[in-house]
């Protein structure tokens, strides 16, 4: 079942759009099944769960951290991820940078945008992020590579609202590039989940994060 869903989604995704299979709350066996079907990028939202899976699963898996990252967990996570998608404050960004430098690694991150109505309280408002880049504060980072933006659409059946949210996320990334055209490798737009990834791709996503449609419903 998992293998079939992975293959189906791989076949549907246009060239240049990557799949992050969101395996949070699902056992390592399920990840292995997806891995054997060719999937390599997996998303986790809790540090402890990611640490446990890293121990028992193949070392060529690219782990994406997609949940709210508490500052007291940063040190444990550094060096294990291929991408931290959910940087939601400057304080967190600076801590990731400090710990990465200390560990002698470069950490790739995305800045999480807050465009959805209500939903999560995490992420930057577009204006905050534009301000961060116009101040060129990113030049102070020593061991962090900001690779783009991540965001979620409003949790609603109103698909025009969802599309509008995705459009806002993609447009913010373009505006940042206009403000700081010398930013290198700032090209990732991570948006779209099980219920709305097709719309996200239409609006410019090049990384989608899909959990339920692959692994089934989660038991929290
Ligand atoms: C859980 C989660 C997903 C996956 O959601 P599904 O609806 O199960 O596909 C995607 N992105 C983030 C940030 C998540 O926390």
């Amino acid at each position: 079942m998992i293998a079939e869903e992975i293959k189906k989604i791989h076949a549907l995704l246009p060239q240049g759009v990557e799949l992050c299979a969101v395996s949070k709350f699902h056992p390592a066996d399920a990840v292995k099944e997806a891995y054997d079907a060719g999937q390599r990028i997996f998303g986790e939202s809790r540090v402890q769960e990611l640490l446990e899976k890293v121990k028992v699963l193949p070392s060529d898996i690219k782990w994406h951290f997609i949940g709210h990252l508490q500052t007291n967990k940063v040190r444990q996570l550094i060096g294990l991820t291929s991408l931290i998608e959910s940087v939601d404050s400057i304080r967190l960004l600076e801590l990731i940078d400090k710990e990465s430098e200390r560990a002698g690694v470069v950490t790739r991150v995305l800045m999480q945008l807050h465009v959805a109505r209500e939903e999560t309280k995490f992420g930057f408002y577009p204006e905050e992020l534009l301000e961060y880049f116009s101040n060129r504060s990113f030049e102070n980072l020593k061991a962090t590579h900001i690779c783009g933006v991540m965001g979620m659409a409003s949790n609603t059946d109103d698909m025009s609202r969802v599309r509008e949210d995705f459009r806002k996320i993609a447009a913010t990334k373009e505006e940042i590039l206009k403000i700081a055209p010398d930013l290198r490798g700032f090209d990732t737009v991570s948006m779209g989940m099980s219920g709305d990834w097709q719309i996200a791709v239409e609006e410019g996503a090049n990384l989608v994060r899909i959990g339920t449609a692959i692994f089934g419903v989660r038991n929290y």
Side-chain angles (χ1 to χ4, degrees), residues 31-75:
V31 177
K32 188 60 170 48
E33 205 177 323
Y35 178 91
D36 289 338
Q39 180 61 26
R40 288 296 177 271
I41 303 175
F42 292 91
E44 290 286 336
S45 61
R46 297 182 301 178
V47 173
Q48 193 56 41
E49 187 175 345
L50 189 142
L51 290 173
E52 282 161 21
K53 284 177 177 161
V54 165
K55 266 188 252 162
V56 298
L57 285 158
S59 59
D60 63 339
I61 286 181
K62 293 178 179 175
W63 295 103
H64 286 196
F65 192 81
I66 62 168
H68 174 61
L69 179 55
Q70 289 168 282
T71 49
N72 63 355
K73 302 273 174 68
V74 169
R75 188 170 288 188

Side-chain angles (χ1 to χ4, degrees), residues 22 24 45 66 150 152 193-195 209-213 218:
V22 176
K24 64 186 185 193
S45 61
I66 62 168
M150 181 272 250
M152 271 173 268
M193 320 199 318
S194 291
R209 310 175 308 271
I210 303 179
T212 310
R218 291 177 286 273

Side-chain angles (χ1 to χ4, degrees), residues 99-119:
E99 292 296 338
S100 300
E101 194 186 15
R102 179 179 167 273
V105 298
V106 172
T107 300
R108 300 169 67 248
V109 304
L110 302 180
M111 304 296 256
Q112 182 173 349
L113 275 165
H114 184 306
V115 297
R117 210 170 0 193
E118 84 289 321
E119 305 329 318

